[in-house]
Amino acid sequence: MRLREHWEDLPIRLRAVLSALFLVLALLLLWWLSGWAWPTRALAHRALEREHLFGRGEIVAEGEITRFEDAPHSSQQGTHFVVSERDGRYIVSLLRPKWGFLWRIAEDLFWPYQVLIPTEEDPLAYGFLAGDPLYTADGSGLLHAYGWGELLLVVSADPDIVRVEVTMDLVSQDELEQDPDWGLHHGVTVKATETGPGSGLWLAPIILEKSGGTVYVVLRGYDAAGELVYTYIPQ
């Protein structure tokens, strides 16, 4: 009661200033508790651009990250991606919702922020949007890992490339000793889906029915006539 009396004794202008200050401090506390989340995905992406000194790029793609049916789900996983381009470099951010109306960086992967740089000599570059172990249940209800699900994003610096194929495998040392190009000969190949007409960005979901080994990725780019114009094979 005494505190209220002291408050009412203050000049109206001072009370207004203090009220505004308390409101700002409360909003800053709320923002801190959210993990510095932002009201839109674009703003969260811009914050990452500034944090990593990338510079403001043109947002060229954004969308939902579709998880595999047999993959575990976590509130820390990225649910959406945003891609911006600046001077031939592509910045990719993986974001997740916070409190249902804010957005912040995902925390489930080692690569929630990536920079992809295709060049004239190597016009295709790739990064990972998702990487999840896959599980199946036996008759008793116990879960057993049977493979790995990956979602790749491929970017192109060559406007002549209109179709992209991705071959991927997890190669063990024993397999490499049998065949140095084991991943090329035994990997899973999928046709990537372009995020939009002429965007130069493709999504490639791949399911590998194995869970151990070194990541092996091959990229192929084709022109409008169906001719292979570029191949990336890891050395």
Side-chain angles (χ1 to χ4, degrees):
M1 191 72 178
R2 188 174 296 176
L3 180 61
R4 181 177 179 182
E5 292 176 355
H6 287 315
W7 174 259
E8 292 177 349
D9 288 340
L10 295 175
I12 295 178
R13 289 185 178 181
L14 181 56
R15 277 186 284 168
V17 170
L18 292 175
S19 297
L21 180 60
F22 291 149
L23 177 60
V24 170
L25 291 175
L27 290 174
L28 284 174
L29 176 61
L30 185 65
W31 194 20
W32 175 73
L33 291 173
S34 75
W36 308 113
W38 296 85
T40 68
R41 294 194 296 270
L43 287 175
H45 182 81
R46 296 301 187 199
L48 286 170
E49 286 180 330
R50 293 190 297 272
E51 179 182 342
H52 293 272
L53 304 178
F54 182 79
R56 186 183 180 87
E58 177 188 359
I59 293 180
V60 293
E62 57 181 303
E64 184 176 359
I65 298 174
T66 302
R67 294 283 168 173
F68 297 90
E69 182 178 354
D70 293 337
H73 298 281
S74 164
S75 61
Q76 304 302 308
Q77 290 176 326
T79 63
H80 290 74
F81 68 93
V82 180
V83 185
S84 61
E85 185 271 336
R86 179 183 173 89
D87 299 329
R89 300 181 300 157
Y90 293 81
I91 178 175
V92 184
S93 63
L94 305 185
L95 306 173
R96 64 180 178 87
K98 180 70 174 181
W99 298 340
F101 63 95
L102 298 174
W103 293 90
R104 58 160 300 166
I105 191 169
E107 298 174 349
D108 62 318
L109 297 173
F110 293 111
W111 46 83
Y113 167 91
Q114 307 166 66
V115 176
L116 306 179
I117 309 177
T119 65
E120 186 175 344
E121 295 77 18
D122 297 303
L124 294 180
Y126 73 93
F128 292 93
L129 299 184
D132 300 312
L134 304 178
Y135 294 91
T136 184
D138 60 19
S140 62
L142 294 176
L143 294 178
H144 299 275
Y146 72 87
W148 201 265
E150 301 280 1
L151 178 61
L152 281 72
L153 173 71
V154 181
V155 300
S156 171
D158 186 349
D160 291 335
I161 294 178
V162 299
R163 181 165 65 89
V164 169
E165 286 182 350
V166 178
T167 298
M168 184 175 178
D169 199 2
L170 297 173
V171 184
S172 68
Q173 187 61 39
D174 289 341
E175 291 168 339
L176 284 176
E177 291 176 357
Q178 295 179 46
D179 179 1
D181 293 322
W182 179 279
L184 182 62
H185 299 150
H186 300 275
V188 176
T189 299
V190 300
K191 178 182 177 182
T193 302
E194 197 167 13
T195 60
S199 69
L201 294 97
W202 287 266
L203 296 174
I206 298 178
I207 292 179
L208 303 171
E209 293 189 356
K210 57 196 307 187
S211 56
T214 301
V215 174
Y216 185 96
V217 176
V218 173
L219 307 176
R220 300 181 185 89
Y222 299 84
D223 63 16
E227 296 293 327
L228 180 64
V229 297
Y230 174 73
T231 303
Y232 165 76
I233 299 178
Q235 302 300 317

